[in-house]
């Protein structure tokens, strides 16, 4: 049965929706421990505009691009402890299904929908990644491709990409079962929820989303629902223009579907990775679809608040193909992403007033249209006809009025208290609720959710003092929000309090005070290296490269004297600090000292791809170019290679001047500077 006009999509005829736990086993890797060093450096995000591209933009877009962009990922930690040697891994899943659709959700990985399967046709509607392979695409590192991802926080992939979220059964608007996912997003300190609902007989999965601002000041909000689809599709949206963003960091308005001699609504017709943000006219229905040669595929639509629509393509070039193989299994097909967001582009953040909320409803389902009409692309009129055809088929399958009515029916259910808990997320939301006394209907953050990481902060909240650790080890995560910074400033001046206070002050932009806090803590601390490392970062940021190298050397010496070699956290700390120290020493030409740090890294660390690359860099600095080329020839894979990074190619150019970069190391996401962007 297909939902159509004349039948309210929330009306209950039979309770056939099922929500159940399952497990999924597939080739993958463990995430490994989080990087224990606080991420003090400025955010390295590819989606930033050069200044020239900001000229002439619409006023609302320009204002939102400049509205409180993120500068660091504190208080989060970087996830970079994974590798690429895959073995079977088991992932917990929650399945929600009716007689038409089956959605498989990964509550331990941001609540991502890994699969959306249409039973009557036997078709998978999404790109379903056959492996779990993290890569360095999220704001805080680990991310993986495939499925439907809920992106909240700031420009880039959410820090919750590989983090657990809370999940529970909830009563749906039709009286059946609904799956609720919720968490506390820490970059902006905002709670959010995602409600998944399958009405009886519906070919469409409904997704109700709510973001709340419980604070006394406005907050910047970012949301994009990212939908991976097989790239052998044509992507259609109701637009005649789009904003093209390439990895040369420029934004320009281009016609749809064709510009620079190619129809860009086919993902493989672009050479380089690129974003196309569609300019959908106000008042027009919001939707985006990806259809195959036979006219079959997926459509996404929503209520009007979710205004933006986007296509991301990897393109057909060497770098894009390499990334596709990197993120999945070779030979399994590539993917593109169709997306929906709160703003025109992903470069923008939208203002959410104090005590306010954003809420909307999305719908995902199958769509079939005339293949001849959809794939006719000889003229602009053909594009208009293809859009009209898809819009007509969508109206038949799911009228716009039904989406609005479903939203109105769901909205009161957003406050329904969850029933049986199906998965547990973090304790950070519970800590914030404990601090503020705020009650958030529908998304409980109970004291029972508090864990070991929150324990010292709860003590600070209740006693006014942060406890010193009972045994030596890397410091735990810092909190940097103003309320916690205020508490740290009035807490007894113990070493750990000074350390965390410095991190919070650094995050607030008060670098001079941060340095003073770290220097005070250093005088009394039993463990020196955490303070010395922070001071080294501060020196480097201020242009004092020699002093930064000195402090890194002292910090690494202290860590080696203190570390316990049998623990994963100590190995991670040694690897992270050693990597930073080597880079700082090479930056000032202290090659022998850098080699001394390298020699004291754990053998397992030196064998990792990231450190094989670092070894090649050391060899180039030592003038051993043949030995550096031998490292490349032996082969290595940098598991946490950053999206858009060109470090491998740059080092190859030094090790093998004039020789072309081998394809296996070619991850370039932008054209050479001498040619126009594609």
């Amino acid at each position: 049965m297909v939902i159509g006009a004349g039948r309210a999509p929330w009306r209950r005829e039979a309770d056939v929706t099922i929500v159940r736990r399952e497990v999924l086993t597939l080739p993958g890797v463990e995430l490994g421990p989080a990087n224990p060093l606080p991420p003090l450096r400025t955010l390295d995000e590819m989606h930033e505009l050069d200044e020239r591209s900001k000229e002439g933009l619409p006023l609302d877009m320009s204002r939102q691009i400049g509205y409180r962009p993120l500068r660091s990922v504190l208080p989060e930690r970087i996830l970079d402890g994974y590798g690429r040697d895959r073995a079977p891994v088991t992932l917990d899943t929650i399945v929600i299904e009716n007689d038409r659709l089956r959605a498989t959700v990964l509550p331990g990985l941001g609540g991502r929908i890994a699969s959306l399967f249409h039973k009557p046709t036997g078709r998978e509607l999404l790109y379903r990644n056959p492996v779990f392979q993290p890569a360095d695409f999220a704001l805080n590192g680990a991310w993986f491709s495939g499925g439907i991802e809920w992106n909240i926080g700031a420009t880039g992939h959410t820090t919750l990409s590989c983090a657990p979220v809370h999940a529970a059964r909830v009563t749906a608007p039709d009286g059946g079962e609904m799956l609720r996912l919720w968490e506390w997003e820490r970059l902006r300190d905002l709670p959010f929820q995602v409600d998944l609902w399958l009405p009886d007989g519906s070919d469409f999965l409904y997704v109700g989303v709510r973001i709340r601002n419980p604070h006394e000041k406005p907050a910047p909000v970012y949301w994009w629902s990212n939908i991976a689809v097989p790239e052998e599709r044509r992507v259609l949206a109701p637009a005649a223009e789009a904003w093209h963003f390439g990895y040369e960091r420029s934004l320009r308005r281009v016609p749809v579907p064709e510009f620079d001699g190619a129809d860009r609504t086919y993902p493989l017709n672009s050479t380089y990775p690129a974003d196309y943000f569609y300019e959908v006219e106000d008042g027009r229905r919001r939707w985006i679809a990806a259809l195959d040669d036979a006219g079959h595929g997926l459509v996404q639509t929503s209520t009007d608040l979710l205004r933006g629509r986007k296509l991301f393509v990897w393109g057909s070039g060497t770098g894009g193909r390499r990334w596709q193989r990197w993120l999945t299994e070779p030979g399994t097909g590539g993917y593109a992403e169709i997306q929906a967001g709160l703003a025109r582009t992903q470069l923008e953040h939208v203002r959410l007033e104090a005590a306010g909320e954003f809420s909307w409803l999305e719908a995902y389902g199958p769509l079939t249209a005339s293949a001849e009409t959809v794939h006719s692309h000889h003229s602009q009129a053909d594009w208009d006809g293809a859009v009209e055809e898809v819009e007509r088929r969508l109206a038949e399958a799911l009228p716009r009025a039904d989406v609005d009515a479903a939203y109105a029916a769901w909205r009161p259910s957003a406050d329904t208290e969850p029933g049986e808990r199906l998965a547990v997320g973090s304790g950070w939301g519970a800590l914030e609720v404990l601090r503020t006394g705020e009650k958030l209907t529908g998304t409980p953050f109970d004291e029972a959710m508090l864990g070991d990481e929150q324990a010292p902060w709860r003590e600070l909240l209740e006693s006014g003092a942060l406890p010193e650790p009972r045994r030596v080890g890397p410091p735990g995560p810092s909190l940097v929000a103003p309320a916690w910074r205020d508490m740290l400033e009035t807490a007894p001046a113990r070493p750990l309090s000074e350390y965390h206070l410095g991190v919070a002050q650094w995050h607030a932009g008060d670098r001079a005070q941060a340095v003073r806090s770290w220097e005070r803590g250093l005088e009394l601390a039993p463990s020196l290296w955490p303070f010395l490392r922070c001071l080294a970062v501060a020196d480097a940021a201020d242009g004092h490269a020699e002093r930064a190298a000195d402090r890194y050397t002292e910090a690494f010496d202290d860590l080696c004297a203190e570390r316990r070699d049998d623990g994963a956290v100590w190995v991670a700390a040694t690897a992270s600090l050693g990597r930073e120290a080597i880079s700082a020493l090479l930056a000032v030409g202290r090659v022998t000292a850098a080699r001394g740090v390298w020699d004291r890294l754990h053998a397992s660390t030196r064998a990792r791809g990231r450190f094989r690359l670092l070894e090649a860099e050391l060899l180039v600095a030592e003038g051993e170019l043949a030995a550096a080329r031998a490292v490349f020839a032996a082969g290595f894979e940098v598991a946490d290679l950053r999206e858009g990074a060109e470090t491998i190619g740059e080092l190859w150019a030094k090790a093998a001047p004039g020789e072309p970069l081998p394809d296996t190391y070619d991850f370039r996401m932008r054209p050479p500077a001498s040619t126009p962007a594609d």
Side-chain angles (χ1 to χ4, degrees):
M1 181 187 299
V2 176
I3 294 175
R7 176 180 175 216
W10 64 91
R11 186 174 300 152
R12 182 179 181 185
E13 293 186 355
D15 186 6
V16 297
T17 301
I18 298 170
V19 176
R20 66 178 185 274
R21 291 190 185 99
E22 288 189 356
V23 295
L24 173 65
T25 301
L26 72 173
V29 299
E30 300 296 331
L31 280 173
N35 189 321
L37 307 184
L40 301 176
R41 290 184 172 82
T42 303
L43 182 68
D44 179 22
E45 221 298 307
M46 290 301 299
H47 292 82
E48 293 183 357
L49 281 184
D50 62 30
E51 289 301 317
R52 290 172 299 175
S53 289
K54 296 179 181 179
E55 299 173 2
L57 295 177
L59 290 178
D60 62 333
M61 183 188 293
S62 179
R63 182 175 63 252
Q64 291 181 165
I65 287 175
Y67 180 47
R68 292 177 61 182
L70 197 67
R71 299 303 180 196
S72 84
V73 296
L74 287 166
E76 294 284 4
R77 291 289 180 94
I78 302 298
L79 299 177
D80 59 4
Y82 51 87
R84 290 190 58 83
D85 294 329
R86 292 196 282 266
V89 297
T90 299
L91 304 175
D92 291 330
T93 69
I94 301 173
V95 173
I96 175 170
E97 68 178 317
N98 64 3
D99 56 336
R100 311 287 293 179
L101 284 174
R102 181 171 64 246
T104 302
V105 180
L106 302 174
L109 297 168
R112 187 176 306 204
I113 298 177
S115 169
L116 186 60
F117 184 76
H118 189 234
K119 297 178 182 179
T121 59
R123 294 194 186 102
E124 173 60 57
L125 301 181
L126 306 174
Y127 170 77
R128 183 171 185 172
N129 198 332
V131 302
F132 173 62
Q133 178 56 65
D136 190 5
F137 277 64
L139 288 164
N140 64 332
W143 172 89
F144 64 105
S145 64
I148 304 173
E149 174 187 11
W150 316 116
N151 268 299
I152 182 173
T155 299
H157 288 283
T158 177
T159 60
L160 296 168
S161 294
C162 290
V165 297
H166 302 285
R169 300 179 195 270
V170 183
T171 301
D174 62 2
E177 286 193 327
M178 181 165 66
L179 173 63
R180 174 161 301 157
L181 310 169
W182 75 99
E183 245 307 346
W184 192 279
E185 200 286 315
R186 301 180 67 208
L187 298 183
R188 304 299 196 183
D189 267 331
L190 299 177
F192 73 99
Q193 69 190 81
V194 177
D195 288 354
L196 306 177
W197 166 34
L198 275 172
D200 173 35
S202 174
D203 275 320
F204 284 84
L205 172 69
Y206 290 121
V207 180
V209 182
R210 178 166 64 165
I211 303 170
R212 286 182 275 188
N213 178 11
H215 308 297
E216 297 178 353
K217 295 181 180 179
V221 171
Y222 174 92
W223 181 279
W224 283 81
S225 301
N226 288 13
I227 309 142
V229 293
E231 65 183 350
E232 297 84 7
R233 299 287 188 272
R234 190 180 201 191
V235 173
L236 300 103
E241 292 184 311
W243 295 91
H244 171 276
F245 180 82
Y247 282 77
E248 66 279 6
R249 303 191 177 188
S250 64
L251 187 68
R252 54 177 171 151
R253 195 191 294 257
V254 299
V256 175
E258 183 175 318
F259 84 97
D260 283 355
D263 186 334
R264 306 296 175 159
T265 63
Y266 291 89
L268 290 171
N269 280 357
S270 292
T271 304
Y272 294 96
D275 298 330
Y276 297 89
F277 299 102
Y278 294 113
E279 188 69 67
V280 181
E281 293 179 0
D282 289 343
R284 189 148 190 187
R285 187 175 187 181
R286 310 284 166 172
W287 60 268
I288 190 167
L291 305 180
D292 64 16
D293 289 344
H296 304 305
L298 171 79
V299 65
Q300 186 271 0
T301 188
S302 70
T303 49
D304 289 350
L305 183 67
L306 202 67
R307 66 170 296 180
R309 293 298 185 276
K310 170 194 161 181
L311 165 64
F312 167 75
V313 301
W314 281 110
S316 59
T318 302
R321 294 299 90 197
R322 185 69 183 98
W323 276 114
Q324 291 271 29
R325 295 193 301 273
W326 187 255
L327 296 170
T328 183
E329 282 285 351
T332 57
Y335 74 96
E337 286 182 1
I338 57 175
Q339 305 183 14
L342 283 173
R344 274 193 185 99
T345 74
Q346 289 174 330
L347 309 173
E348 302 168 66
H349 299 93
V350 182
R351 179 186 174 104
L352 178 57
E353 298 299 335
E357 70 172 54
F358 290 142
S359 62
W360 64 90
L361 187 109
E362 304 180 45
Y364 297 81
L367 189 127
T368 296
S370 164
E372 181 180 359
T373 303
V374 165
H375 294 287
S376 179
H377 47 84
H378 301 295
S379 67
Q380 188 67 41
D382 289 334
W383 168 252
D384 295 339
V387 168
E388 290 171 5
E389 161 74 2
V390 173
E391 207 155 40
R392 180 176 64 83
R393 296 299 182 102
L394 174 58
E396 293 171 354
L398 184 63
R400 185 177 187 177
D402 282 4
V403 175
D404 292 335
Y407 169 72
W410 163 76
R411 183 57 191 80
S413 300
D415 288 327
T416 301
E417 289 304 309
E420 179 191 359
R421 303 296 172 90
L422 301 174
V424 177
S426 78
W428 296 113
L431 184 67
E432 288 304 315
V433 168
L434 188 66
R435 180 183 66 80
T436 63
E438 186 83 31
K439 179 173 174 56
L440 296 166
T441 55
T443 54
F445 293 96
D446 307 325
E447 285 190 40
M449 297 174 177
L450 294 168
D452 292 342
E453 287 189 328
Q454 292 82 42
W457 298 98
R458 180 175 187 174
E459 185 167 332
L460 173 65
L461 180 64
E462 295 176 346
S463 72
L466 195 69
E468 286 294 304
R470 292 188 177 90
R471 56 184 179 181
V472 172
S478 299
L479 292 182
V480 298
W484 293 103
R485 188 173 73 245
D486 291 345
M487 280 185 264
L488 288 167
E489 286 176 345
T490 59
R494 299 169 182 165
L496 191 60
S497 297
E498 296 289 355
Y499 168 83
H500 287 302
L501 175 58
V503 174
Q505 290 166 331
W506 182 269
H507 176 263
D510 194 347
R511 294 187 172 187
Q513 286 289 358
V515 167
R516 282 193 281 273
S517 295
W518 291 325
E519 288 175 342
R520 284 196 303 269
L522 186 62
E523 294 176 359
L524 299 173
S527 182
L528 305 182
W529 65 267
F531 296 89
L532 290 167
R533 182 263 176 177
C534 290
L535 291 168
V537 173
D539 284 334
D542 289 338
H544 303 304
E546 291 285 354
R547 193 164 69 197
D550 289 339
R551 279 181 160 150
Y552 267 121
T553 300
E554 189 178 353
F556 193 74
D557 289 345
D558 185 66
L559 171 61
C560 289
E562 179 181 281
R563 70 187 182 189
R564 311 294 186 264
D565 287 340
D566 57 351
V569 174
W570 284 107
V571 173
T574 305
S576 301
L577 183 57
R579 176 178 162 187
E580 291 185 12
I582 290 172
S583 296
L585 288 163
L586 289 179
V588 295
R590 301 187 196 176
V591 180
T592 301
R595 175 61 70 179
V597 173
W598 168 266
D599 290 339
R600 285 178 286 169
L601 296 174
H602 294 85
S604 60
T605 298
R606 292 197 298 266
R608 290 168 53 187
R610 165 63 64 184
F611 289 85
R612 293 284 287 157
L613 178 64
L614 193 56
E615 180 185 21
E617 186 178 356
L618 262 173
L619 289 166
V620 168
E622 292 167 337
E624 301 290 342
L625 300 189
R629 290 193 296 273
V631 173
F632 279 89
F636 58 84
E637 292 185 318
V638 181
D640 61 329
L641 183 67
R642 184 66 177 163
E643 175 190 10
E646 299 179 353
T647 51
I648 295 180
E650 291 167 355
L651 183 60
W652 172 260
K654 296 176 183 177
E659 295 186 24
L661 179 66
D663 284 351
T664 190
Y665 298 117
D666 190 349
F667 292 89
R668 290 172 290 194
M669 298 178 71
R670 60 180 179 174
S674 58
T675 63
D678 188 3

